[in-house]
Amino acid sequence: PAAGITQTVDPPADYQPPKKRVAPYAGYAEAMRATNPLAKKPTPRGSDGKPILTGLWGGIPSAGGPGGLRRDGTFEPDQAALQRASGWLKPMYKPQYWNKVRGLDYGKSEGDPVFSCNPVGVPRMNVPAQIIQTPQHTVLVYNGMRTRVVPTDGRKLTPEDADMSTFDGVAVCHWEGDTLVVETVGFNDISWLQWQGYFHSNQMKVTERFTRVGDLLFYNYTVDDPDVLLEPWTQGTLTVRLMPATGRVVEADPCVVIPPGGDPYLRG
């Protein structure tokens, strides 16, 4: 339109606005559950009637994709800032902590604990690459061979568990219908929730949920950290598929701290 002229476009007569806004992760998971042939396969179950989660998992990317490179000279000085501004389901920090998030985000790669050869930690490790179920334990194996052994014998978390200071936490799990729920406490405050400078306190509790439908596995987690977050934060559901049993989880490459002369902002 010409300068100074306001143009309006009426929607089609049959237009119906959506009843709810669906985040990309959630929409992707709903679509996979409804239309993917792998979800139509029978869900294998054990003698207790619960879904069998044992297997290698991966192969279906989640909506959104990985973040890009973070270096001076790109169209966005720090691409995480753009992703944080436009992202769905982001953690909502108390007002006094946003400057800290921004400072960590805009800082050099060495500020990210992973770039100092620290473990990625829970929940940043995200969905495991392999699950092994036994009557007393669920074993979660991640790329790089990092492993969590979670009791399934009915025990509960204790105050002593919460007093631990670890990257992966102290976990127990139970079933809610067909969903395996893993509850974890006992964290340090070194690791991050995600790579965009999303830090947490040592009072964090993480609740993960695993649901198998056919040969698909749906995974999400909720972070409850009243010290720094305004409300519990639930990450979008990730969808992965059952992989061939001949596959393997390989060990991680040796960790190398950024060498002298390396790009201090490269975090792709």
Side-chain angles (χ1 to χ4, degrees), residues 9 17 25 100 125 127 129-130 136 142 146 172 183 222 257:
V9 178
Y25 280 115
K100 179 176 180 178
M125 287 195 296
V127 62
Q130 184 175 19
Q136 298 298 317
Y142 298 81
R146 195 163 183 87
V172 298
E183 298 177 293
T222 297
V257 179

Side-chain angles (χ1 to χ4, degrees), residues 170-246:
V170 180
V172 298
C173 60
H174 65 275
W175 288 93
E176 294 181 1
D178 284 348
T179 297
L180 182 70
V181 180
V182 179
E183 298 177 293
T184 309
V185 296
F187 294 101
N188 59 40
D189 61 358
I190 300 173
S191 63
W192 287 1
L193 304 178
Q194 289 183 343
W195 64 276
Q196 300 97 324
Y198 292 149
F199 72 99
H200 61 84
S201 79
N202 60 6
Q203 298 302 306
M204 175 178 69
K205 177 181 179 180
V206 178
T207 303
E208 301 164 276
R209 291 177 171 84
F210 300 80
T211 305
R212 180 172 183 173
V213 179
D215 281 351
L216 294 182
L217 182 68
F218 299 93
Y219 168 85
N220 66 36
Y221 59 77
T222 297
V223 174
D224 190 347
D225 191 344
D227 278 13
V228 299
L229 297 181
L230 285 171
E231 60 189 14
W233 169 59
T234 299
Q235 179 238 31
T237 299
L238 300 180
T239 307
V240 291
R241 62 166 295 175
L242 185 67
M243 303 298 289
T246 54

Side-chain angles (χ1 to χ4, degrees), residues 35-49:
T35 64
N36 194 294
L38 295 175
K40 306 302 181 182
K41 292 187 175 183
T43 302
R45 297 179 181 272
S47 58
D48 58 358

Side-chain angles (χ1 to χ4, degrees), residues 160-170 186-190 202:
E160 290 75 19
D161 294 334
D163 285 340
M164 299 293 288
S165 180
T166 68
F167 284 92
D168 297 344
V170 180
F187 294 101
N188 59 40
D189 61 358
I190 300 173
N202 60 6

